[in-house]
Amino acid sequence: MNRRPGILLRLVLLAACAALGWAAASLPSAAEEVRFVRIGTGPIGGTYFPVGGLIANVISGPPGSMACAQGGSCGVPGLIAAAVSTQGSVENINDLSKGKVDLALCQANIAHDAITGNGAYAGAPKNGLRAIANLFTEAVHIVVRPDAGIGSIEQLKHHRISLGERNSGTLATALVVLKAVKVSMKSIDPVYENLARSVDMLMAGDIDALFMVGGQPVAAIANGAERGAIALLPITDGDAEQLIKLQPFFTKMLIPAGAYQNVPETPTIGVGAQLLVEDSMSDDLAYDIAKALWTPQNRKVLDGGAPIARRIQRTTALDGLSVPLHPGAKRFYQETETRPKVEGQP
């Protein structure tokens, strides 16, 4: 998606204020501190954008709002957060390092590549990445038209395939998957489109398959399944084990039957989606964001939003982190954690 940062930022900030019931008429006096933060998410129609909006709602504590104990905002006092649509994980990390966003959703494998200087970040590590929390597990989707004659990943050869946008985690992951099953880029006709456009092209017969990494059900794919028949290619045990050797943050998982209309249970691989910041964020702010994210009163916001947000749970907040915890977030977990797990994190 092409972005116009100035215009988009104004729009998302206004949208965030409206969603939070905060209007210009309620602005505090100059003596009251107001902080704005931007959350890098993903394309509209994917998983990250709606989840980022929910997180923005949860961590926001607009000045003048009713106190949490009285049924009002349970976010960070004085903080107003807004979700910004991006191309996904790779762009989010780049934007974090440049200060274009303050928090970002990112696949665990992409974050690990970034901090170690591998993959898309070969020779240029992003050493400042820090984690606030692990959020949920995303599934690798390989969606095909049933009439395309493609029954396995190996049969993608000689077909037109959308691999995701150029700065997306989907593209980075698709390249790893294709390499693992020995499908070369020379053997396919690659397309680099956003998810919504890719689904439209698939339904129109302009491409034969698309890759998407997202928490199922992914809205755009579900919409495509309602418009016409789709199929998901399985990533079987042998291929999954090879991929886990290449990327230790991958895990085996199943996309359940019924996640998409008329699509049976499909084995695939998953990877954690994590909430990241830069190490330049103050310890107090990182602490307050972690606290707001896991405040019990905010549970209703997550549970009432996108279905995948119900899987954002405090019990898995430290699972599979691929970059070090921010010291502020670590302090929060140390103060509230009952299991001896924090010190073992990277």
Side-chain angles (χ1 to χ4, degrees):
M1 166 178 183
N2 293 325
R3 295 166 54 206
R4 293 169 293 177
I7 295 173
L8 178 58
L9 180 56
R10 286 193 292 273
L11 290 174
V12 295
L13 289 177
L14 288 171
C17 292
L20 292 164
W22 182 77
S26 65
L27 278 170
S29 66
E32 191 172 359
E33 181 185 8
V34 184
R35 291 177 292 181
F36 294 93
V37 297
R38 300 147 297 180
I39 305 173
T41 61
I44 296 171
T47 303
Y48 281 5
F49 185 68
V51 167
L54 292 172
I55 292 174
N57 196 341
V58 161
I59 69 174
S60 291
S65 59
M66 189 181 297
C68 179
Q70 298 174 331
S73 169
C74 296
V76 181
L79 189 74
I80 298 175
V84 179
S85 177
T86 69
Q87 294 178 4
S89 294
V90 175
E91 182 179 8
N92 287 346
I93 289 176
N94 292 335
D95 284 354
L96 264 181
S97 67
K98 296 174 183 176
K100 292 183 178 180
V101 299
D102 309 284
L103 299 94
L105 278 69
C106 185
Q107 293 172 212
N109 61 317
I110 305 302
H112 186 258
D113 280 350
I115 203 165
T116 57
N118 291 304
Y121 304 93
K126 304 293 186 181
N127 298 316
L129 285 179
R130 297 295 182 265
I132 296 293
N134 179 64
L135 299 176
F136 52 83
T137 301
E138 303 183 80
V140 175
H141 295 68
I142 309 174
V143 188
V144 300
R145 289 185 294 104
D147 61 355
I150 305 172
S152 69
I153 307 174
E154 290 80 3
Q155 292 176 2
L156 289 173
K157 293 177 180 179
H158 314 302
H159 289 278
R160 196 170 192 219
I161 318 296
S162 176
L163 303 178
E165 294 183 276
R166 291 190 181 276
N167 285 322
S168 66
T170 290
L171 173 57
T173 302
L175 296 177
V176 173
V177 171
L178 293 174
K179 180 178 179 181
V181 298
K182 296 181 172 56
V183 175
S184 71
M185 291 295 288
K186 292 181 179 179
S187 70
I188 66 171
D189 183 4
V191 174
Y192 305 98
E193 287 285 357
N194 65 44
L195 177 60
R197 173 64 178 149
S198 295
V199 171
D200 287 343
M201 292 177 71
L202 185 77
M203 305 313 296
D206 296 327
I207 60 173
D208 302 306
L210 67 88
F211 277 78
M212 175 59 190
V213 182
Q216 53 80 23
V218 176
I221 297 174
N223 178 263
E226 292 169 359
R227 290 157 52 192
I230 67 166
L232 294 178
L233 294 185
I235 299 180
T236 55
D237 281 348
D239 290 337
E241 288 163 7
Q242 179 63 23
L243 283 159
I244 291 168
K245 288 180 181 178
L246 292 172
Q247 294 273 0
F249 295 99
F250 288 144
T251 59
K252 294 181 184 180
M253 69 174 294
L254 295 171
I255 297 175
Y260 303 103
Q261 185 170 301
N262 298 322
V263 177
E265 180 180 86
T266 307
T268 186
I269 55 172
V271 64
Q274 303 183 347
L275 182 62
L276 305 181
V277 297
E278 279 282 299
D279 59 2
S280 57
M281 176 176 282
S282 75
D283 288 2
D284 286 345
L285 181 55
Y287 177 97
D288 288 343
I289 288 173
K291 180 180 179 181
L293 182 62
W294 304 120
T295 294
Q297 292 93 325
N298 279 328
R299 190 69 247 167
K300 63 181 180 293
V301 177
L302 297 175
D303 290 343
I308 189 66
R310 295 170 198 154
R311 298 179 210 164
I312 301 175
Q313 296 290 335
R314 172 68 177 80
T315 54
T316 56
L318 301 175
D319 289 355
L321 294 180
S322 56
V323 302
L325 274 170
H326 189 287
K330 185 173 182 178
R331 173 161 58 91
F332 167 79
Y333 291 116
Q334 286 176 324
E335 291 179 1
T336 60
E337 183 61 83
T338 57
R339 299 169 297 165
K341 193 171 184 178
V342 173
E343 293 301 330
Q345 295 303 319

